[in-house]
Amino acid sequence: MKGLISVVTTLLACCLSALTRLERYEKYYHGAPATLELTVKDDRGQPVEGVHVQAYFWRPSGVADEEDDKSNAEGKAKVVGEGYTDVFYSLNKEGYYETKGHANLEMPESDPEYFWERARWAPIIRTEVLKKKRNPIAGIEWFGVRIKTPPFNSPIGLDLEKMDWLPPYGNGENNDVRVTLTPVAVGGGVNAGYNITRVTFDFPRLGDGMQLCTADTFSTFKTAYTVDLSRPFERYLF
């Protein structure tokens, strides 16, 4: 009888162990609960109410758990989903430029070995900026444009509206900026050739110039609202 009880106990323990491994696999495959807590403010630091927060919690199954929420009067929104790798989210409201974000899911700092028993990721707490659409002006943005490389050591006009060289190298009309390509170094063999080229931009018209700025990559409106007139304009850029 004792031997039978021992066998039953062993089998029961094995079944429970197998069930625990199965549960862990299911949680791994389908994801564990994760919380995204955002405070949404405008570019002047004021909370924005009514922002639609859409979050995508990704899992090894290749399917994302899509959850959403709207910010309250304090600009706070809380989205809870199930994921295992990371979360992508977007913030949208009428009259504002879209903001996007990304975060990796991380285990809690305390007792990480009991993660699967607790089955929760550490909360993601962030403050995001939603830039307001104000005083819009007409503009042109080019992205991923491919144009033929002009000859070396010859200043060639570039039409920024058409994003094309002036004749005879293209169909541009306005000489907005001159571009000069100068070879600096050439080396390597047949299978390992390389070259370094210096690109010079200069502006032929009086008053024209370029001002560099740090891109706000989180927003679809990546630049500043206005040109900083206290800063000089670059007439030559290498």
Side-chain angles (χ1 to χ4, degrees):
M1 179 61 108
K2 290 183 179 180
L4 180 61
I5 294 176
S6 176
V7 171
V8 172
T9 303
T10 303
L11 289 174
L12 181 61
C14 292
C15 291
L16 290 175
S17 176
L19 181 62
T20 301
R21 288 196 297 270
L22 178 61
E23 288 177 341
R24 290 193 175 195
Y25 173 77
E26 288 295 323
K27 290 178 180 179
Y28 168 81
Y29 192 75
H30 296 289
T35 303
L36 175 66
E37 299 180 26
L38 300 179
T39 300
V40 187
K41 296 184 178 182
D42 62 18
D43 53 282
R44 293 172 175 168
Q46 299 300 313
V48 184
E49 184 179 5
V51 178
H52 181 218
V53 179
Q54 184 77 32
Y56 302 87
F57 299 84
W58 288 97
R59 300 176 292 207
S61 59
V63 178
D65 182 11
E66 301 180 22
E67 303 292 344
D68 64 340
D69 190 22
K70 281 196 173 182
S71 61
N72 59 20
E74 297 178 343
K76 296 185 179 299
K78 183 177 181 179
V79 185
V80 179
E82 290 189 351
Y84 186 76
T85 55
D86 48 3
V87 55
F88 289 85
Y89 55 89
S90 62
L91 287 67
N92 288 277
K93 183 180 179 180
E94 185 71 25
Y96 291 82
Y97 295 99
E98 182 183 34
T99 284
K100 292 184 178 181
H102 165 261
N104 293 320
L105 300 179
E106 298 179 355
M107 290 187 179
E109 293 184 2
S110 59
D111 298 330
E113 64 271 19
Y114 297 111
F115 167 72
W116 286 119
E117 282 69 16
R118 303 186 181 197
R120 286 194 180 275
W121 296 104
I124 301 168
I125 303 174
R126 290 184 174 181
T127 298
E128 296 289 353
V129 177
L130 203 62
K131 300 174 75 172
K132 192 172 184 179
K133 296 180 179 179
R134 59 174 187 261
N135 300 329
I137 60 174
I140 298 174
E141 179 186 37
W142 291 100
F143 179 79
V145 176
R146 299 177 66 89
I147 56 178
K148 188 176 180 179
T149 304
F152 286 116
N153 300 316
S154 178
I156 300 174
L158 179 64
D159 188 326
L160 294 179
E161 184 172 356
K162 291 189 174 182
M163 193 49 66
D164 198 3
W165 305 113
L166 267 61
Y169 306 105
N171 297 315
E173 298 178 1
N174 297 313
N175 189 11
D176 295 319
V177 57
R178 280 191 300 240
V179 180
T180 306
L181 301 184
T182 306
V184 177
V186 179
V190 176
N191 298 322
Y194 70 88
N195 64 77
I196 300 174
T197 304
R198 182 176 67 182
V199 184
T200 304
F201 300 90
D202 70 277
F203 295 86
R205 294 195 298 255
L206 185 64
D208 286 357
M210 180 183 297
Q211 191 173 101
L212 304 180
C213 64
T214 301
D216 293 332
T217 55
F218 58 86
S219 175
T220 53
F221 186 66
K222 295 178 174 57
T223 66
Y225 285 97
T226 58
V227 175
D228 187 355
L229 297 177
S230 65
R231 293 174 51 202
F233 285 84
E234 300 290 341
R235 295 279 298 167
Y236 299 92
L237 185 67
F238 301 95

